[in-house]
């Protein structure tokens, strides 16, 4: 029989494993988010990862990058066209409509989870990535726009990121105003056709507003002189935007108006914003959102205003890491390593461990498992990173005592009665409680 070496199967390009050394950072971030949402009165919603393809085609827009070339779309066994969600807003609207959450009521919702886009993987850009999203339904005025921006700002403040991010703001006006503006813009671009790059030529007929988004330096001056959406807003959108700015000013939130901020998805109207950073190279947008008053109706519901944002968790974690902003305590670890000195002490050690876990719910303790020589047990204790080892052998068991050994400094080891152990650990490990 020939023995062939099986080829190892690897993860799909652009889809990452989250390793144990990284997960404390994610948990730190996720915990902050969860608390923040509660504090602002947003309730969590969880949607499926797969939806009918039509949901995204109809909401995001047929001629956007996402729908044109980034979606993971496949036929399931029934022949239905399904898509791994590239973003959360469409699913959230679908779910809210389907369960009557938009009927005569307002909603403040949030979610988090993986999104899928077939992009070119690079730092800060992956094919499976994760977002935290916030969506509010049924609020027409700019107060909720300000509220979701304030929520995001508080997160930056609490993470120590505020001085590293900038809020960029624009208004896209009503869809009517935008249609009129679009004509003006196309006329302008036609006058400067020779300056448009290939991408922009293509967008001229399909999605001319997106040309404003271009980062091509050769087009920068021409784009700067293009007619501005801001100067072509309808009166109610103008008023909405002015009020929003007044609210942000009152809250002390700094922003810059970016008249070229148009966002890549079709469903936005009025307010759009992005939080950007210069610390991550070209993948600098960490949070993006805006108002989408037409979307619910577009998906077959009663007209319902909506506003929301999505933040990219990978980029934020990268930023926290780059700036070294995750506190050491949050990086997890182990307080004590409890080891039976040989196999005869296994059950006594296990019993003691369980008793300690009942008494000290905050204690992070690893019980030695897997046998081995005393020397190899001590090696594992050291590797656990714990500041203390608890040693249990024949003598300790006979005396109902335990040996407490400091692993990171040369404090003398001490034998203490098991009845005093919880108290001693509480004193020695004040930081963990
Ligand atoms: P970009 O301009 O960077 O492509 P986008 O406009 O496509 O971003 P949105 O659809 O608004 O992004 O998603 C909101 C946020 O999700 C982004 O600001 C970013 O932080 C994050 N994000 C988007 N695509 C990716 C990706 N492929 N990998 C990692 N994070 C992403
Ligand atoms: Mg994109």
């Amino acid at each position: 029989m020939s023995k062939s070496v099986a080829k190892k199967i690897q993860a799909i390009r652009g889809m990452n494993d989250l390793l144990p050394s990284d997960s404390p950072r994610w948990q730190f971030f996720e915990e902050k988010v969860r608390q923040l949402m509660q504090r602002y009165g947003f309730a969590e919603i969880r949607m499926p990862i797969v939806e009918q393809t039509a949901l995204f085609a109809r909401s995001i827009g047929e001629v956007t990058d996402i729908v044109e070339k980034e979606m993971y779309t496949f036929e399931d066994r029934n022949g239905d066209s399904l898509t791994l969600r590239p973003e959360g807003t469409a699913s959230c609207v679908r779910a809210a409509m389907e369960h009557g959450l938009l009927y005569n009521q307002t909603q403040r919702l949030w979610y988090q989870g993986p999104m899928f886009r077939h992009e070119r993987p690079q730092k800060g850009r992956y094919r499976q990535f994760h977002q935290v999203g916030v969506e509010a339904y049924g609020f027409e005025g700019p107060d909720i726009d300000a509220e979701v921006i304030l929520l995001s700002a508080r997160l930056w403040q609490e993470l120590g990121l505020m001085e590293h991010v900038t809020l960029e703001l624009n208004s896209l006006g009503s869809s009517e105003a935008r249609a009129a503006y679009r004509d003006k813009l196309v006329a302008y671009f036609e006058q400067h056709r020779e300056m448009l790059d290939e991408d922009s030529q293509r967008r001229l007929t399909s999605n001319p507003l997106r040309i404003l988004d271009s980062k091509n330096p050769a087009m920068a001056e021409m784009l700067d002189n293009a007619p501005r959406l801001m100067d072509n807003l309808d009166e109610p959108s103008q008023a909405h935007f002015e009020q929003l700015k007044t609210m942000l000013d009152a809250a002390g939130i700094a922003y810059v108006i970016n008249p070229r901020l148009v966002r890549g998805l079709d469903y936005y109207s009025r307010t759009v914003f992005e939080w950007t950073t210069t610390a991550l190279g070209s993948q600098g947008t960490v949070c993006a959102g805006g108002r989408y008053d037409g979307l619910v109706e577009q998906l077959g519901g009663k007209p319902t205003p909506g506003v929301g944002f999505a933040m990219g968790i990978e980029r934020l974690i990268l930023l926290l890491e780059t700036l070294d902003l995750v506190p050491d305590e949050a990086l997890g670890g182990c307080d004590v390593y409890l080891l039976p000195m040989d196999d005869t002490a296994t059950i006594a050690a296990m019993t003691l461990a369980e008793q300690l876990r009942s008494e000290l719910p905050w204690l992070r303790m690893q019980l030695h498992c897997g046998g081995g020589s005393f020397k190899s047990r001590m090696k594992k204790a050291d590797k656990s990173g714990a500041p203390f080892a608890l040693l249990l052998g024949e003598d300790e068991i006979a005396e109902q005592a335990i040996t407490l050994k400091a692993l990171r400094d040369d404090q003398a080891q001490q034998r203490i009665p098991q009845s005093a152990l919880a108290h001693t650990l509480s004193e020695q490990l004040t930081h963990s409680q």
Side-chain angles (χ1 to χ4, degrees), residues 66 70 87 117 119 124-127 129-131 263-265 268 274 283 285-288 310-315:
I66 294 181
E70 295 176 359
E87 54 109 50
R117 298 184 194 175
E119 305 196 66
R125 190 176 293 285
Y126 311 102
R127 289 180 173 173
F129 62 99
H130 297 76
Q131 288 183 336
R263 307 282 306 115
L265 300 87
Y268 287 108
E274 287 190 358
Q283 264 54 256
T285 304
V286 291
C287 175
M311 46 179 89
I313 303 182
E314 280 83 354
R315 290 185 197 178

Side-chain angles (χ1 to χ4, degrees), residues 171-186 209 227-238 268-270:
S171 175
L172 301 179
S174 65
S175 55
E176 295 78 25
R178 221 163 356 143
Y181 168 73
R182 186 188 148 117
D183 292 344
K184 274 195 198 176
L185 191 64
V186 170
L209 262 68
R228 290 155 57 114
L229 185 47
M230 191 67 74
D231 304 330
N232 289 273
L233 292 184
D234 52 298
E235 202 281 322
S237 296
Q238 181 71 46
Y268 287 108
S269 55
R270 294 194 171 168

Side-chain angles (χ1 to χ4, degrees), residues 204-222:
L204 190 55
T205 44
S206 62
N207 199 347
L209 262 68
R210 279 303 299 284
I211 298 176
L212 295 172
D213 230 4
S214 167
K215 309 274 185 302
N216 184 345
M219 291 172 35
E221 198 190 327
M222 185 271 293

Side-chain angles (χ1 to χ4, degrees), residues 353-364:
E354 282 303 294
Q355 196 184 317
L356 268 181
R357 285 169 180 142
S358 300
E359 278 179 88
L360 304 176
W362 50 265
L363 184 69
R364 300 170 302 180

Side-chain angles (χ1 to χ4, degrees), residues 65-83:
D65 284 351
I66 294 181
V67 174
E68 273 184 339
K69 51 187 189 204
E70 295 176 359
M71 293 206 304
Y72 279 91
T73 296
F74 59 98
E75 262 192 19
D76 78 353
R77 289 171 192 276
N78 305 327
D80 297 329
S81 179
L82 306 184
T83 294

